Amino acid sequence: EDKVVQSPLSLVVHEGDTVTLNCSYEVTNFRSLLWYKQEKKAPTFLFMLTSSGIEKKSGRLSSILDKKELFSILNITATQTGDSAVYLCTTAPIREQGGKLIFGQGTELSVKP
Amino acid sequence: NAGVTQTPKFQVLKTGQSMTLQCAQDMNHEYMSWYRQDPGMGLRLIHYSVGAGITDQGEVPNGYNVSRSTTEDFPLRLLSAAPSQTSVYFCASSYAGVYYKEQFFGPGTRLTVL
């Protein structure tokens, strides 16, 4: 059975801290891994990773994929209260099953002033 | 572009009632999916479609039906609502080209079954 596991499930930090969120996966027909941010509404896209070892960056957020060990990490540096959200990791399958994304449970991040 | 739209935004049903959650997208995306989100459980896939006329089951399909008669629309039918189906439902769509692109989500429907 395909599964995606995120850790920790929740995290409380103070502004300025750096956090690392983890995502491991065991899925068949893997194509890409995606990170989303969810703030009390629909998820919004952050990153898509397809190749191992290539870091994706967007401002204070960065992510990397390890296809040998089957995991990804999402780093957030110099956290701000606006980073408070649930971060979701998901895997996208091969083209023939394109809508079949498997999500992890999410990591709820709370950033205190 | 309106993106992915869902109706209704909120719905209250009684046990045993049936209803259809509507989802439409105007981006000409081939892939469409339905998820439910319960506290602490992320998003769980109910049904998905890779194109008009083609649907398949996800992780939690029981109690739900879907059809995909057009590229734009992907309605989700609750056959006989149960309290366990109280949840937030999200519809999503994505491009089906050679290079995968991210899913776009609708705003969600909050369903309560009494």
Side-chain angles (χ1 to χ4, degrees):
Chain A
E1 181 182 336
D2 293 343
K3 63 179 178 180
V4 176
V5 178
Q6 293 184 243
S7 64
L9 294 182
S10 65
L11 192 54
V12 180
V13 300
H14 288 94
E15 275 192 315
D17 289 349
T18 293
V19 298
T20 298
L21 310 183
N22 304 293
C23 176
S24 64
Y25 63 93
E26 292 180 34
V27 300
T28 54
N29 302 320
F30 174 88
R31 175 153 68 162
S32 302
L33 185 142
L34 298 91
W35 286 95
Y36 284 84
K37 178 182 182 182
Q38 187 176 26
E39 300 171 272
K40 303 293 184 189
K41 49 187 179 180
T44 55
F45 173 73
L46 293 174
F47 295 111
M48 182 170 68
L49 303 143
T50 304
S51 301
S52 276
I54 299 174
E55 186 181 46
K56 292 281 185 87
K57 291 195 74 168
S58 176
R60 296 176 294 101
L61 278 66
S62 64
S63 184
I64 197 162
L65 174 67
D66 185 328
K67 292 172 74 174
K68 182 179 177 184
E69 300 296 330
L70 306 183
F71 78 91
S72 173
I73 60 172
L74 174 68
N75 281 321
I76 308 175
T77 59
T79 52
Q80 302 171 356
T81 55
D83 295 326
S84 295
V86 175
Y87 291 84
L88 297 166
C89 170
T90 180
T91 58
I94 57 175
R95 194 174 177 186
E96 291 74 16
Q97 299 177 330
K100 191 179 179 183
L101 273 65
I102 305 297
F103 280 82
Q105 318 95 300
T107 293
E108 184 171 13
L109 174 65
S110 178
V111 182
K112 303 295 186 186
Chain B
N1 283 356
V4 181
T5 58
Q6 290 183 238
T7 56
K9 286 188 170 54
F10 302 94
Q11 183 70 50
V12 179
L13 292 178
K14 293 181 180 177
T15 297
Q17 288 184 314
S18 63
M19 79 158 295
T20 299
L21 307 185
Q22 301 291 345
C23 174
Q25 51 92 9
D26 61 358
M27 297 174 281
N28 204 31
H29 285 167
E30 292 88 344
Y31 299 150
M32 294 188 76
S33 306
W34 274 103
Y35 301 91
R36 60 176 289 173
Q37 187 170 35
D38 303 299
M41 298 194 73
L43 291 164
R44 291 187 292 169
L45 182 66
I46 304 171
H47 286 285
Y48 68 100
S49 169
V50 298
I54 306 169
T55 64
D56 206 347
Q57 296 181 352
E59 304 169 75
V60 289
N62 292 341
Y64 308 95
N65 272 357
V66 292
S67 59
R68 184 100 180 267
S69 56
T70 67
T71 299
E72 294 79 18
D73 300 298
F74 192 42
L76 178 73
R77 296 182 188 83
L78 279 70
L79 308 173
S80 177
S84 60
Q85 293 179 304
T86 293
S87 189
V88 179
Y89 291 85
F90 288 103
C91 178
S93 73
S94 58
Y95 171 66
V98 174
Y99 298 104
Y100 186 82
K101 294 185 184 294
E102 74 275 19
Q103 280 198 332
F104 293 85
F105 285 84
T109 294
R110 186 174 293 274
L111 176 68
T112 301
V113 183
L114 303 175

